[in-house]
Amino acid sequence: MDIAVKEKPYWNPYIAGFFLGLVLLASFLLLGWGLGASGAGSRFGAWLSYLVVPDHTLGLASWSSYFEGGAAPLKDSIVFGAVGVFLGGLIGALTAGRYKVSVGRGPRISVPARFALALLGGTMMGFAARLGRGCTSGQALSGGAELALGSWVFMFAVFGGAYAFAWFVRRQWL
Amino acid sequence: MSGSLFPLYTSGAFGDEIVLFIQLLVGIGFGFALERSGFARSENLVSIFYGRDFRVMRVMFTAILTAMAGLVMLSGAGLMDMGLLYLNETFLWAQLVGGLVLGAGFVVSGYCPGTSLAGAASGRIDALFVIAGVPLGSWIYAELYPLLGAFANSASMGTASLPSWLGAPVWVVAVGVFLFAGGAFLAVGRIERWVRRRFVGTEVPAPGPAPIRINPLKSATHHLLFAAGLIGVVVLGAAYSARTVPADWGRYVGPDEHEHEGKVLPPLGAIELARILVEGSQEIAIIDIREGSKEASVPGSIFVSAGDLTERAAAHELPHVDAYVLVSGDGERVRELAPSLAAHGLYATWLDGGTRAWKKAILSPPRTPEGGVTKDQVALYEERASIHAYFTDAKTAPLKVKASPVLKVAPKKRKGGGCS
């Protein structure tokens, strides 16, 4: 479903960052909190788990609060935010002529191996985002702008963990 | 602090349904910005970890500078109430380890949770696997929580911020962040040039887009924005620091102090509790531990059995409020429970005499004072009559309650948002 638009260049990173910062600031001003993403994944997991094993799900301490007082875990602002990120990404890709069904990988890795690493890395991040109370959006970006101490620790730890691990997965990318 | 315009939602400008719509719009802006930054493609994201292209850091730090400068300036101008903003809480060890694992997951998967959504939206199939992994990892965490909970909640420092931790004014820290980011922008340009030179003439391709060439006119815009942000932060940040309490921008609680931070407050009499509820001046949660009859319960009570109470406090599952008021039938059982809540870093008290006292003092009409009473006694009677009317809809006397600070508690904590 390629759209016949000539691919536009990316924005200059400083301009893109300025725009992203304005979006974050708008979230602070309108809602009183920053951006988020991983929480939506967690809520989706809780919702799925509830479909399969409802009683067990309600007994999981880190998920039970999503259901408190008969609440629906997916009717939460962070889920709407995540849907928005998808829509915004789609609008961006279509208008820039960059929508293309493909697999992003380096020249030295097979498609199944890339899928396996994507799932593994996603699982690591899902776990880590619960432990660290957020991901690069909710902690590093939003908490960083709020000057939250733990968010800055988190941000440096993310860079540290990624640089330390980059060597092991270099065949995936280079 | 009242009278500030922002944040609109937490200051009550609109309701919960509008929030979902606004959140959707904010998300669209976020996703669009990620796509235009090149972050829908994993090769642009991971190339920073191989020293090729630092656009991840440029975009991220610029966004942080922009939003931070906006918060400092608007709060300095008195338009933003930082006390109403949801501030991330610090759990030092969990965030250190969580960050390391998330970083490793980032370079393994090629995306972070937010960018994986934009990646999938632009047609990247591998991003769908990342999206599937996030709930899976959350589920593993939820299953392992009984083992991890103690670690996850250790070194809890409340809403500690860099300014409160360093004991420095917000504007000084913000200037420090500007200088740090500016230095980083200069440094990564040098690293990129050095790495690219090493690969010249080799067969290893440098991933990611071509090196950034910024024309002088545009780069002048960057410098202007940077300087304007810096000046705005200094001027309005100083204004902010001069007229507000430092705790507005996060409150530092040392990791070792936390265990003692909670406190058992003196018990509340029925009248005192009624005053707090009528005034609405304190954010409290009333926890009724009775398991059988719920007769004569205090309005707004939540019911948590004595057995579950400490477990839920440990898991941070109680509502986030300033203080917890425990209620039982006669006020005896809760006297012993209050210290165990305090041990979890909470401010706890109880209703003296339990619901029995509540029924007697509040739900039944006060006795009329008889001949030869003092002015104070009359005032007390009038207050009790109005409280009685308030809680029973008896509509006898007009409501007139004196302000009296009963609870001395920590600054307000807000409902969670962000990633949590």
Side-chain angles (χ1 to χ4, degrees):
Chain A
M1 176 188 138
D2 281 12
I3 303 252
V5 178
K6 191 174 177 290
E7 186 176 323
K8 285 183 189 167
Y10 298 123
W11 283 354
N12 173 296
Y14 296 111
I15 297 302
F18 182 61
F19 178 77
L20 179 56
L22 291 180
V23 172
L24 175 57
L25 185 62
S27 182
F28 284 141
L29 296 183
L30 296 173
L31 301 170
W33 55 75
L35 305 169
S38 65
S42 178
R43 283 177 173 273
F44 183 69
W47 176 78
L48 270 184
S49 170
Y50 185 81
L51 288 185
V52 184
V53 278
D55 291 339
H56 178 72
T57 308
L58 294 179
L60 296 171
S62 82
W63 272 356
S64 57
S65 64
Y66 296 164
F67 299 91
E68 214 156 71
L74 294 182
K75 202 196 166 199
D76 186 83
S77 67
I78 199 163
V79 178
F80 282 69
V83 172
V85 173
F86 186 90
L87 291 176
L90 184 64
I91 295 168
L94 290 175
T95 53
R98 267 193 290 272
Y99 181 89
K100 191 177 177 220
V101 176
S102 61
V103 178
R105 63 192 170 111
R108 294 194 284 175
I109 188 169
S110 67
V111 169
R114 167 70 192 123
F115 286 167
L117 284 174
L119 185 67
L120 172 67
T123 308
M124 290 165 75
M125 291 193 295
F127 178 88
R130 289 309 94 209
L131 182 61
R133 279 121 176 127
C135 57
T136 25
S137 316
Q139 283 294 348
L141 199 57
S142 307
E146 293 175 343
L147 300 174
L149 177 62
S151 301
W152 279 84
V153 170
F154 183 88
M155 191 195 312
F156 284 112
V158 167
F159 280 110
Y163 276 106
F165 230 74
W167 187 82
F168 298 102
V169 290
R170 65 192 185 285
R171 286 173 184 281
Q172 181 178 210
W173 303 115
L174 301 182
Chain B
M1 285 312 290
S2 61
S4 296
L5 184 59
F6 299 113
L8 289 177
Y9 171 58
T10 31
S11 62
F14 44 78
D16 291 346
E17 303 296 326
I18 309 281
V19 162
L20 300 180
F21 179 68
I22 293 178
Q23 188 81 63
L24 185 75
L25 293 181
V26 166
I28 289 174
F30 185 22
F32 188 81
L34 291 176
E35 204 287 329
R36 282 294 188 269
S37 305
F39 296 167
R41 295 190 173 173
S42 49
E43 61 269 30
N44 296 341
L45 288 162
V46 296
S47 64
I48 183 178
F49 303 124
Y50 300 96
R52 311 294 178 85
D53 180 338
F54 283 79
R55 75 171 42 229
V56 168
M57 207 204 71
R58 288 191 173 94
V59 172
M60 196 165 148
F61 278 11
T62 309
I64 289 175
L65 290 184
T66 305
M68 177 192 73
L71 288 180
V72 173
M73 289 193 242
L74 288 167
S75 53
L79 293 171
M80 172 83 187
D81 183 350
M82 285 301 291
L84 288 176
L85 188 66
Y86 171 80
L87 297 173
N88 282 352
E89 288 183 55
T90 295
F91 298 85
L92 198 59
W93 302 126
Q95 280 160 333
L96 184 67
V97 174
L100 288 170
V101 176
L102 193 129
F106 192 161
V107 74
V108 169
S109 75
Y111 286 102
C112 64
T115 51
S116 68
L117 294 166
S122 78
R124 282 290 168 93
I125 301 165
D126 46 323
L128 291 172
F129 285 83
V130 183
I131 292 174
V134 172
L136 189 62
S138 308
W139 170 70
I140 293 172
Y141 180 79
E143 293 289 348
L144 294 180
Y145 186 78
L147 302 174
L148 297 167
F151 175 75
N153 294 318
S154 64
S156 157
M157 298 184 179
T159 56
S161 61
L162 295 176
S164 63
W165 175 56
L166 297 167
V170 167
W171 71 271
V172 173
V173 177
V175 167
V177 173
F178 260 89
L179 297 180
F180 171 73
F185 294 151
L186 294 178
V188 297
R190 286 173 172 270
I191 295 172
E192 278 168 354
R193 283 192 290 277
W194 180 74
V195 170
R196 282 177 188 278
R197 261 204 306 277
R198 281 186 58 204
F199 286 97
V200 169
T202 69
E203 285 185 4
V204 185
I212 298 150
R213 287 194 198 83
I214 297 162
N215 73 44
L217 199 68
K218 273 190 189 154
S219 96
T221 321
H222 302 159
H223 296 146
L224 214 64
L225 273 176
F226 190 90
L230 199 54
I231 293 166
V233 158
V234 170
V235 174
L236 288 160
Y240 174 81
S241 302
R243 66 175 170 70
T244 54
V245 272
D248 279 351
W249 201 296
R251 198 169 62 101
Y252 175 69
V253 182
D256 302 323
E257 296 157 48
H258 181 74
E259 295 306 315
H260 312 289
E261 193 216 342
K263 224 189 235 174
V264 178
L265 302 165
L268 292 174
I271 301 279
E272 288 172 303
L273 178 59
R275 278 189 194 129
I276 294 173
L277 291 173
V278 170
E279 288 168 22
S281 55
Q282 303 277 357
E283 271 198 63
I284 57 169
I286 299 159
I287 300 176
D288 196 325
I289 63 155
R290 291 177 297 166
E291 288 182 55
S293 146
K294 307 278 194 280
E295 191 222 338
S297 65
V298 180
S301 292
I302 53 174
F303 296 92
V304 180
S305 72
D308 292 346
L309 188 62
T310 46
E311 199 178 302
R312 291 181 61 176
H316 293 258
E317 287 175 0
L318 296 175
H320 282 209
V321 292
D322 294 336
Y324 299 82
V325 182
L326 300 174
V327 176
S328 66
D330 58 4
E332 287 307 312
R333 181 76 204 281
V334 285
R335 188 193 295 269
E336 297 149 27
L337 274 172
S340 62
L341 272 194
H344 286 100
L346 305 174
Y347 282 75
T349 180
W350 67 93
L351 173 60
D352 204 20
T355 48
R356 204 178 295 166
W358 179 262
K359 197 171 169 185
K360 199 170 155 207
I362 307 298
L363 301 183
S364 24
R367 228 181 303 155
T368 324
E370 288 157 26
V373 293
T374 64
K375 249 186 192 165
D376 287 353
Q377 279 172 306
V378 175
L380 187 68
Y381 168 75
E382 282 178 350
E383 187 195 359
R384 293 192 56 171
S386 65
I387 287 175
H388 169 68
Y390 183 87
F391 285 100
T392 57
D393 288 328
K395 292 196 176 83
T396 48
L399 184 64
K400 215 187 322 175
V401 182
K402 277 175 294 181
S404 58
V406 184
L407 293 173
K408 282 252 179 272
V409 293
K412 291 181 176 185
K413 278 183 188 166
R414 292 289 154 183
K415 173 178 166 278
C419 258
S420 47

